[in-house]
Amino acid sequence: MEDLLKPTRTRLITQADQLIPVQSKVLAKTKNKVVLSTPEDALRGLQSQPDVDLLAQILGWLFTPNIIEECINIKLPGPKSALIINALVNDIVPIYWETLKESESSSHTRIRKLLLKSLASIAGIGALISRLRFLVSVRKSSDAQARIQKLTVEDGQSICVVIDVLESVLEDSSAVLNIWKGIQLSNLKGSHRSLLWKELISVVAAGRLLSVAAQAHMVLNENSLSIEEGSWLGDGRTFSAWLGRSISYMISSKETTFSSEETKEVTTLLSKAMTLGYNDQVIEAVFVRPLLKESSSSKEYRSLFSNLATYDQKSILYTILRIVSQNHIPSTTYVNDADLDIKQTNTVGGLAALITFLMNDQSHIQDALIEWLVGISGGSVGVDGIVRRAVVAALAYDLDVLEKTVQKLLSSFGDKLYIKHTPVLQQEVNAQLLLLVAGYIYRSRSTYLINMSRSSVYINAISNRLAASSPKSRFLGMIVGATISNLIDSTDKRMIFSSEEIDSAEGRWYQSLIRLIDSVGSIGDLISLPSAEKSLSKTKLTNRGKITNTNTEKKSNVTSKIISIEELEEDDNETTSEDDDIPTYEKPDTDEDEDEDPTLVQRNKPLAPVYIRDVIAGLRDIDNYDRHKLALSTASSLIRRKAKFGTEVSEHIEELATQFVGLGDKYNMEEFQKLRLQAMIAILLAQPLKMGQWFSRTYFNGDYSMGQRASILTTLSMGARELAGFQKEDSALTGADTVPENSFPSKKLPEKLHRIYALDTAPVNNLTQKLERTMIQPMAAEAMDKMTGPQALKVRTFSSRMEVEKKRKKAIPNELAKVVADGGDKSAHTSPFLLAHFIKTLALLLHASGPSTLSLPQMTAELWSLLLSLRTKAYSDITVLEALLFAFLTLLDVNEDKRQIAEGYSKELLETQSWVEGVFERTRGGSEEGERIRMLAAGVLVGTREVVDKYHRLLIGDLVAFM
C-alpha cells in the first residue's frame, strides 16, 4: 500500500508564492471544464475562484432553457438562487468586473452580458444594494473592529465597482419592464407575483436604491475619493429622469399589452416615483416628452392618467402646464394687437389639445383647471399667457363651466379684501382672464353677459375697484368696465373714462383680449414648434408687453373717485361754463402719499444685530432681504467692537469666516462686495495669527470659486496693511472710510451717478499700481539729479529742509511684523488669474511687514525662491509676468540693507538680473501693457545693478560660478 501512495514530486511553498494576487491565481488556473448537473455544482464552482472559461460555462449553464424549467431559475427568489447571486456579487464581481468592463474581446463581452443578465432581477438588485450598504457602513464606522475591516476597502474601489454594476444593470430604459415580464411569466401564484412587484417598487421608486447610492457618493466625497464621471445613480434628478423613462417605456412598448389590472400596477409605480421629490423630471419623462413626440395620442397614456388618484392627477396636470410653459413654448412679447397672430393661435390650439386629451371629460379635472385659473394660490400667475389661453380654450366647449369660471373671477375681482391684500401681479392675471372668458361667453350666449353686467355683483365690483387707493387697482377697474361696456352697450350708454391709461398701449392690449378666439387643435401643432428654454429677457403675458411703465405710474387724470355708478343727464353748456370757473393746477411730479398703501407698510422691521450669533443667523436667512442686508452691513463694525471684548468673537470666528467667504449675492446689492470685504478684514484683524492661517488653508483646500479665492487674497493683503498701520492710506480701497472728513457735496455727483461713473477697480491691483509709482519715482528723481550736474553745486535752503521734515512719514507701530512669518502657506496656485493675484498678495504682505521685521531674511529667502521657480509660467501669461516683476521690485525695496542682499542672496540676485534683462529685451513697447512691463523691468534692473555695482568685489566669486 505504501508503494501506491509514493509521491512523485515535493515542492516547498515560499513567501513569494503566498503574495500572488487573487486575480493572478484565478487566471493561472487550468482551463478544464467542469461537469455541471446541480445548482450546488455551480455554487461550488463560483466559490472556488473560477477562471474565465469556467465562469462562462457556469453562467451559460444557468441560462440553459431546460435548466431554467427543471432545475433552477436564478431570476426568481429561492434559497439556491440566493446563494448563487450572493456568490456572484461577493466573489465574482469584485475580481472580474474591471477586467470584463475594459476588455473588448467577444468572450469577455458575452460573459459581461451574462453576468448582468443574472443580476437583472429583484434578488440581484437587492444583493447589490446590500453589498453597497455594507461597504458604506464600513467606511463610516468608527469602532475598532470596523476600522480593521475598513482596510480591506481600497480607496473606495469596491464601492465604485458595485455602483458601476448597478448602473450597468439598470441603465437601459427597458430594465424595469424586463423584470416585470420575468415576474409575470413565472409560475408563481398571483399573490407572490404581487409581492415581488411591490418589492421592486420599494427598491427603485420608494427611495431605497437612491438613498444608498447617494450615501455612497457622500462617503466617497468625504474621503477625497472621486466617483466615475457620468455616474447617475446617486443624483436625485438624473435617477428620477431614468425612472420616468422606464415607466414611459413600459407604457409605450409595443411588445406588451397591459390589462386594466396591469395598468394599475404601473400606476402604483408612478405614484410612488412622485414621492421622491423630483416630480418635474418624472412627469416630463413619462408624459410631456412622449406625448409631444407622437403625432397621435396614445390610449395607454390616457389610461395611465385616469387610473391615478385624484390628488396625483391634479399634481401631474399642474406640473405639465408649468413644464410646457417653461420649455416647450417659444418666447412671446405682446406689444400691440398685431402680435396676436396665427402662430400663437396654433400654439394655443396644440396645447389645448394636450389638455383636452388629459381631461377626457372628467369633471374633477375641469374643477382642477378652474381652481388653477382663479384659485387663491395663483397657480396660473407664474406661467406664460399662452398656457392660460389654452386652458380657457379647452374649457370653452362647456358654457356652464365658463359661466362658473366667470362668476368666481368676478367675485374675486370685486372683493375689497382681495383688492387690498392680493399682489398686483395676481390681480392683473385675474382681470386678463375675466376679459378673456367674457369674450367666449358673449360669442356663445350674449344674454348671460348682458345680465351679468346689470347685476349688483358686477356694479359693486367696478365701484370697489374705482374707489381703491391703489392706481393699478383703479386702472384694472376702468379697463374691465370700459371693455365690457363697449361690447354690450350702445354708443350713447357706454362707460367712458377720460384717462391716458385707457388709450395707452397697455390699455389697448387689455381691450383686445375680449376679442381673442382660440380653438382646440391637434398636439401636432405644438410638436412642430422647437423646444427651447426661455431667456431671462422674455416678456410674459403677465407683463403685458408694455412699451413703457410710465403710464401706469402717473396719476390718473380722472377728476374724482367714483364711488357708485349712475347715469346722469346734464347740460353740456352748463358743464362747460362751470369748468371755466374752476382754476386748473399743474400735476405735481411726485405724490408719495398717493401710492402709499397702508396694508403694504412693513411694520415688523428687523433690528440691527447686537450679538455675533445674530449676525450669523441673519447671513443664513437669505429669504429675508431686510434682515440679510442688515446683518451684512453691520457685521464689520460689530466684529471690530467686540474683537477685544469678551470671547464672543473668538468662539464664532471660524463660523463667521466660513459664512462670509461662501456668501453669495442673491439680491444684487450695490455695495455687497465692499461690505463683505470689510467684514472679512475685520475677522482677520480680530485674531491675525489664527485667522491668517485659516484663510491660507481655506484658499488652498476649500471648495470655493475663483472669485471667492481672490477675495481671500484681497482680505489677506488689505488686512495685513491695516495691521501694519496703513489704514488711512488704504481706506479708499476697502471702502472703510468712503466720505472724507472735509468733503464738499457740491463738488460731487449725485450718489446714483457717482456709482455709475466712479472707477471701481480691485483693491489689490489699485494698491499695486500705487506702490509701483512710489518705488519707481525715487529712481527717476535720482536719474534727474545726475543729469542736472554735480551734487556739490546744488544749494539747499533751510526752509526747504523744514518742508522735507514736515512731509517725512512718522514711525508707526507695526503689529504685522510679529505674526507675518507664521501667517500661512506660501505655495502657488495653478490658475494664471489667481497666481498673479497670489504673487501680488505675497508682495504686499512683505511690503506691509516693513524692513524692521525680525523674520525678513526668512521671508525674503522663501519669496525669492518662489518667484524664481515661477519664471517659466510668466512667459505664457502677461499678468503673471507683471506680478513677478512687481514682487522682485518690492523685494529690493523692502531689503534696505543692500550688503545683506549681496552676502546672503548673491545667486538669486544674479539670476534675477539675468532673467529681467532678457524680459526687458524681449518686451516691445508701443502698447500700454508693453510699456508697463518695460517700466517694471527697468526698475528691477536699476535695483539689482545698484547692488552689483556697489558690491562688485564681494560678488565676483559668485559671478564666476554663475557664468
Side-chain angles (χ1 to χ4, degrees):
M1 291 294 292
E2 293 180 358
D3 296 335
L4 295 176
L5 300 176
K6 183 178 180 180
T8 59
R9 187 177 62 176
T10 303
R11 183 174 182 271
L12 179 64
I13 298 177
T14 62
Q15 184 178 3
D17 295 329
Q18 297 177 359
L19 298 177
I20 297 176
V22 176
Q23 190 169 353
S24 300
K25 292 181 180 180
V26 172
L27 297 178
K29 283 182 173 289
T30 60
K31 298 184 178 180
N32 297 330
K33 293 187 177 181
V34 179
V35 177
L36 301 173
S37 58
T38 62
E40 288 78 8
D41 297 336
L43 180 61
R44 283 194 295 270
L46 292 175
Q47 293 176 344
S48 63
Q49 298 180 358
D51 59 3
V52 176
D53 295 334
L54 181 57
L55 178 61
Q57 180 187 357
I58 295 173
L59 293 177
W61 180 82
L62 289 173
F63 287 100
T64 305
N66 58 346
I67 297 299
I68 294 175
E69 295 177 1
E70 301 175 1
C71 188
I72 182 175
N73 187 353
I74 196 175
K75 289 184 174 293
L76 295 179
K80 296 180 180 180
S81 60
L83 291 174
I84 293 176
I85 289 175
N86 187 60
L88 289 174
V89 173
N90 295 327
D91 299 331
I92 302 302
V93 167
I95 297 175
Y96 278 102
W97 178 251
E98 292 293 335
T99 304
L100 296 176
K101 179 184 177 182
E102 296 175 358
S103 178
E104 298 180 357
S105 64
S106 58
S107 60
H108 286 184
T109 302
R110 177 176 173 273
I111 296 174
R112 185 175 69 251
K113 290 181 179 179
L114 288 174
L115 180 61
L116 294 177
K117 185 178 179 181
S118 62
L119 297 176
S121 62
I122 299 176
I125 297 174
L128 289 171
I129 293 175
S130 300
R131 175 68 176 170
L132 183 61
R133 184 184 290 111
F134 168 74
L135 295 175
V136 170
S137 63
V138 168
R139 298 286 297 183
K140 295 182 64 177
S141 299
S142 58
D143 57 312
Q145 183 179 2
R147 283 198 296 269
I148 296 175
Q149 296 176 350
K150 189 174 180 178
L151 298 176
T152 63
V153 186
E154 299 177 355
D155 297 334
Q157 185 66 25
S158 300
I159 296 179
C160 296
V161 167
V162 177
I163 292 177
D164 194 14
V165 173
L166 273 170
E167 290 178 348
S168 300
V169 170
L170 299 173
E171 64 180 351
D172 194 357
S173 300
S174 61
V176 178
L177 177 61
N178 293 334
I179 296 175
W180 180 83
K181 286 182 179 179
I183 296 174
Q184 298 299 322
L185 296 177
S186 65
N187 297 326
L188 299 175
K189 296 180 180 179
S191 59
H192 291 176
R193 290 199 298 266
S194 178
L195 289 176
L196 286 178
W197 179 244
K198 290 180 180 179
E199 177 67 18
L200 179 63
I201 291 176
S202 66
V203 169
V204 299
R208 188 190 303 178
L209 175 58
L210 177 61
S211 61
V212 176
Q215 195 174 13
H217 283 213
M218 182 182 66
V219 169
L220 292 176
N221 293 332
E222 290 176 353
N223 290 271
S224 301
L225 300 173
S226 58
I227 193 68
E228 184 177 355
E229 185 177 359
S231 179
W232 54 270
L233 200 61
D235 182 71
R237 297 179 183 275
T238 314
F239 181 86
S240 300
W242 164 82
L243 186 56
R245 290 194 300 271
S246 300
I247 298 173
S248 176
Y249 186 87
M250 291 183 67
I251 293 299
S252 60
S253 177
K254 298 180 180 179
E255 302 174 359
T256 306
T257 302
F258 289 91
S259 63
S260 59
E261 293 297 327
E262 293 171 346
T263 303
K264 291 181 180 180
E265 294 181 353
V266 183
T267 301
T268 305
L269 176 62
L270 176 59
S271 300
K272 188 62 69 173
M274 293 175 61
T275 62
L276 291 176
Y278 302 94
N279 288 2
D280 287 9
Q281 285 73 23
V282 174
I283 294 171
E284 184 172 11
V286 175
F287 289 102
V288 178
R289 293 187 181 276
L291 291 177
L292 294 185
K293 286 181 181 178
E294 301 295 334
S295 58
S296 59
S297 302
S298 175
K299 295 181 180 179
E300 287 77 11
Y301 288 101
R302 177 179 290 174
S303 176
L304 176 65
F305 185 79
S306 301
N307 282 288
L308 287 167
T310 304
Y311 173 81
D312 290 335
Q313 288 182 352
K314 291 175 61 177
S315 178
I316 291 175
L317 182 62
Y318 295 166
T319 305
I320 289 175
L321 294 177
R322 186 176 65 254
I323 292 174
V324 171
S325 173
Q326 294 174 352
N327 302 330
H328 299 277
I329 290 180
S331 177
T332 56
T333 303
Y334 294 87
V335 178
N336 50 47
D337 300 347
D339 289 329
L340 304 174
D341 55 10
I342 188 64
K343 293 183 179 180
Q344 295 173 4
T345 302
N346 291 340
T347 306
V348 172
L351 183 54
L354 177 61
I355 298 171
T356 304
F357 167 75
L358 295 174
M359 186 167 55
N360 195 23
D361 295 333
Q362 300 182 74
S363 60
H364 64 277
I365 299 298
Q366 293 178 351
D367 295 338
L369 290 174
I370 295 174
E371 179 66 23
W372 183 81
L373 285 174
V374 304
I376 300 298
S377 59
S380 63
V381 174
V383 300
D384 196 282
I386 289 180
V387 180
R388 290 193 290 272
R389 288 173 54 186
V391 173
V392 174
L395 297 173
Y397 75 96
D398 192 341
L399 290 178
D400 295 334
V401 174
L402 288 183
E403 292 175 1
K404 181 179 178 181
T405 304
V406 79
Q407 288 175 3
K408 291 187 175 182
L409 288 170
L410 186 59
S411 176
S412 300
F413 183 75
D415 186 78
K416 292 183 178 180
L417 294 178
Y418 182 88
I419 296 172
K420 290 182 179 180
H421 302 290
T422 306
V424 174
L425 185 61
Q426 190 170 348
Q427 296 188 40
E428 291 176 349
V429 172
N430 183 280
Q432 295 165 15
L433 289 171
L434 181 58
L435 293 175
L436 190 62
V437 176
Y440 279 94
I441 294 176
Y442 179 77
R443 286 186 290 271
S444 301
R445 194 179 295 174
S446 59
T447 55
Y448 179 85
L449 186 63
I450 294 173
N451 294 331
M452 185 193 73
S453 64
R454 302 290 189 265
S455 65
S456 59
V457 177
Y458 176 81
I459 295 177
N460 290 333
I462 301 300
S463 300
N464 293 339
R465 282 283 170 179
L466 297 179
S469 59
S470 173
K472 176 58 66 174
S473 299
R474 294 198 298 271
F475 166 74
L476 294 177
M478 288 188 294
I479 202 70
V480 170
T483 304
I484 295 180
S485 178
N486 292 338
L487 189 66
I488 63 176
D489 293 335
S490 58
T491 306
D492 56 340
K493 294 183 179 181
R494 288 178 180 175
M495 188 181 300
I496 300 176
F497 296 93
S498 300
S499 173
E500 295 179 359
E501 298 171 343
I502 300 296
D503 299 329
S504 64
E506 182 184 7
R508 292 193 300 271
W509 179 82
Y510 267 96
Q511 296 175 45
S512 65
L513 291 175
I514 205 167
R515 299 191 299 272
L516 281 177
I517 304 176
D518 296 313
S519 59
V520 178
S522 63
I523 300 180
D525 296 334
L526 193 60
I527 298 172
S528 61
L529 295 171
S531 174
E533 294 185 358
K534 296 177 182 291
S535 61
L536 293 178
S537 60
K538 173 181 174 180
T539 305
K540 297 182 178 180
L541 178 61
T542 55
N543 293 337
R544 301 159 311 279
K546 296 181 290 184
I547 298 176
T548 176
N549 293 331
T550 56
N551 289 333
T552 59
E553 296 174 357
K554 290 181 179 179
K555 181 181 175 181
S556 176
N557 287 337
V558 180
T559 56
S560 62
K561 298 180 181 179
I562 302 178
I563 307 302
S564 60
I565 300 177
E566 298 180 0
E567 291 186 59
L568 301 177
E569 296 181 358
E570 297 181 353
D571 188 6
D572 295 340
N573 297 329
E574 182 180 356
T575 304
T576 305
S577 61
E578 291 179 357
D579 292 341
D580 294 339
D581 298 335
I582 300 176
T584 58
Y585 299 94
E586 294 183 359
K587 184 176 63 175
D589 294 335
T590 58
D591 190 354
E592 299 178 356
D593 296 333
E594 178 182 353
D595 295 334
E596 183 178 357
D597 189 353
T599 61
L600 301 178
V601 176
Q602 178 66 24
R603 303 187 185 280
N604 298 325
K605 294 183 179 179
L607 301 177
V610 293
Y611 298 102
I612 298 298
R613 62 175 180 269
D614 296 337
V615 174
I616 298 175
L619 295 175
R620 290 175 176 172
D621 191 6
I622 59 175
D623 295 329
N624 190 336
Y625 171 79
D626 295 331
R627 186 185 181 191
H628 187 70
K629 183 177 181 181
L630 192 59
L632 180 63
S633 59
T634 58
S636 175
S637 59
L638 186 62
I639 294 170
R640 289 178 184 268
R641 286 200 311 269
K642 294 199 172 187
K644 298 181 180 180
F645 181 79
T647 61
E648 187 178 4
V649 174
S650 60
E651 290 174 356
H652 300 86
I653 192 165
E654 291 189 2
E655 187 177 4
L656 263 176
T658 303
Q659 287 291 331
F660 277 103
V661 171
L663 191 63
D665 188 8
K666 177 182 179 180
Y667 299 101
N668 296 323
M669 301 180 188
E670 295 179 354
E671 298 180 348
F672 173 80
Q673 296 297 341
K674 183 184 73 174
L675 295 174
R676 175 168 168 264
L677 179 61
Q678 291 176 6
M680 292 171 66
I681 293 174
I683 293 172
L684 177 63
L685 295 178
Q687 291 187 352
L689 181 58
K690 176 182 178 180
M691 296 313 297
Q693 296 173 350
W694 186 91
F695 277 113
S696 300
R697 290 194 305 269
T698 303
Y699 172 78
F700 291 105
N701 302 328
D703 187 12
Y704 295 107
S705 63
M706 292 180 61
Q708 290 168 340
R709 294 180 190 272
S711 66
I712 293 176
L713 294 177
T714 304
T715 300
L716 289 172
S717 57
M718 305 308 295
R721 286 184 59 83
E722 183 173 346
L723 192 64
F726 298 96
Q727 181 179 5
K728 291 186 178 180
E729 297 181 11
D730 301 341
S731 60
L733 301 177
T734 61
D737 187 15
T738 56
V739 182
E741 295 179 356
N742 298 321
S743 62
F744 293 90
S746 60
K747 302 292 185 178
K748 184 180 176 181
L749 289 171
E751 186 63 24
K752 182 177 180 180
L753 297 178
H754 180 73
R755 289 195 301 266
I756 297 175
Y757 296 104
L759 184 61
D760 185 16
T761 58
V764 171
N765 295 333
N766 204 355
L767 184 58
T768 301
Q769 297 175 5
K770 179 181 177 181
L771 292 180
E772 288 174 2
R773 293 192 298 268
T774 305
M775 290 183 288
I776 293 177
Q777 280 179 357
M779 300 179 186
E782 184 178 355
M784 183 62 68
D785 289 341
K786 292 180 180 180
M787 295 177 60
T788 55
Q791 189 72 19
L793 299 179
K794 298 177 182 179
V795 179
R796 183 180 182 186
T797 62
F798 181 79
S799 59
S800 64
R801 282 181 292 177
M802 296 294 292
E803 292 293 329
V804 171
E805 292 296 331
K806 184 184 298 184
K807 295 180 180 180
R808 180 171 296 173
K809 184 179 179 181
K810 298 181 180 179
I812 54 177
N814 193 337
E815 297 294 330
L816 177 67
K818 302 177 182 178
V819 299
V820 66
D822 301 325
D825 198 349
K826 307 288 193 302
S827 57
H829 201 277
T830 56
S831 172
F833 167 74
L834 287 179
L835 180 58
H837 207 63
F838 178 76
I839 295 171
K840 291 179 181 180
T841 300
L842 294 181
L844 291 176
L845 288 174
L846 180 65
H847 184 273
S849 64
S852 60
T853 179
L854 297 178
S855 57
L856 182 61
Q858 174 192 352
M859 296 171 59
T860 302
E862 292 179 359
L863 181 58
W864 214 327
S865 175
L866 174 64
L867 296 179
L868 290 176
S869 66
L870 297 175
R871 287 175 292 178
T872 55
K873 293 187 178 181
Y875 293 117
S876 59
D877 195 278
I878 193 171
T879 58
V880 178
L881 176 60
E882 178 185 348
L884 279 179
L885 293 175
F886 170 72
F888 281 128
L889 189 62
T890 306
L891 269 176
L892 297 173
D893 182 73
V894 173
N895 288 271
E896 297 177 351
D897 189 357
K898 306 303 180 184
R899 183 177 182 85
Q900 178 66 27
I901 296 179
E903 291 178 350
Y905 314 102
S906 56
K907 182 179 178 181
E908 290 83 353
L909 179 67
L910 296 175
E911 288 186 12
T912 302
Q913 182 180 4
S914 176
W915 179 73
V916 176
E917 286 178 351
V919 172
F920 186 83
E921 293 174 359
R922 288 190 301 271
T923 305
R924 298 182 178 274
S927 64
E928 183 178 356
E929 293 181 350
E931 292 296 335
R932 183 177 177 82
I933 295 298
R934 287 176 63 86
M935 179 190 70
L936 290 173
V940 177
L941 287 177
V942 170
T944 55
R945 288 175 180 174
E946 178 184 358
V947 180
V948 172
D949 294 340
K950 188 173 183 180
Y951 301 99
H952 179 73
R953 294 182 180 180
L954 185 63
L955 293 170
I956 190 65
D958 294 310
L959 181 60
V960 173
F962 178 70
M963 296 177 62

